[in-house]
Amino acid sequence: MQPSPDRALPTAADVDAAAQRLAGVALRTPLLISPVLDALTGARVFLKAETLQRTGSFKFRGAYNKLSSIPPAERAGGVVAFSSGNHAQGVAAAARLLGMPAVIVMPADAPRPKRERTAALGAEVVLYDRAREDRQAIAQEIAHKRHAALVPPYDDALIIAGQGTTGREIVEDLAAQGLVPEVIAVTASGGGLTAGIALAVKARMPQARLYTAEPEGFDRVGAGAAVSDEEVAAAVAFAFRELKLVVEPGGAAALAALLSGKIDVKGKIAVAVLSGGNVDPELFYRLVA
């Protein structure tokens, strides 16, 4: 996210404000441990299970923070978002809780369960052809016609601040055990989760090191790791077999980076964020079978 004259960058104080808005609404997801994982990595590892968050991913945090910040007098037009899955469901759920209409622009080839879950949360789903149409342009046109607020998936200060509450909880919950995180691994994706967690963690624990993890071919980050499809699949299977958690491939990248040794955490207190658990059932079966 780049600063501009009319758009300020988020701060750690914005994350704290988001935490107040989300209190009692978003789930405070647990930090899970696994002796097997500790033995494999030679570290003391905690897994931040955002797979257990409302709608199955961290995306609900940013969506609710964004929507709840819209003044009540301006909510009648509702909101418009563009997403193929997790952001769509997060915005739809937040809009329902706040009594706002929501339109979600989704690709026509998005998995049917994701489209159906988004609609079941009360949103109007508008499909587009991702090969020929621009989803953001479609969403902007709808927002203009309906006098609705556009809710981007990551490039927004309120979205980033909401996602940052994930990192705030990590620091607080480890501190309650007398522990300080030395390494935190986060799936990068659009960057909103990474940016938010960095804001929250660095304000409290500046010595902590943050690393991003992405599937090979999508790695465009500096201090991070690129994990193969095979390593991601192994992480999905590990989470299911050892932790009894369903984690989507994209949400397992940080765990894959630790398991593969691409982020070295030996002898350290480390955290990996499991960012989402919305996976197609057939794909999940193939990965864990």
Side-chain angles (χ1 to χ4, degrees), residues 32 39 59 132 166 184 249 258 287:
L32 304 178
K59 290 287 190 178
R132 296 186 298 172
T166 308
I184 299 178
L258 266 59
L287 294 174

Side-chain angles (χ1 to χ4, degrees), residues 11 13 37 44 72 85 89-90 98 120 154 160 169 192 206 223 263 283:
T11 66
L37 180 58
R44 190 169 182 187
Q89 294 173 67
L98 293 165
Y154 47 83
I160 291 171
E169 291 175 10
I263 297 178
L283 172 60

Side-chain angles (χ1 to χ4, degrees), residues 191-214:
L193 179 62
T194 303
I197 288 179
L199 282 173
V201 172
K202 288 294 187 178
R204 294 163 174 80
M205 301 292 174
Q207 73 277 20
R209 299 200 63 183
L210 268 69
Y211 294 87
T212 56
E214 279 289 271

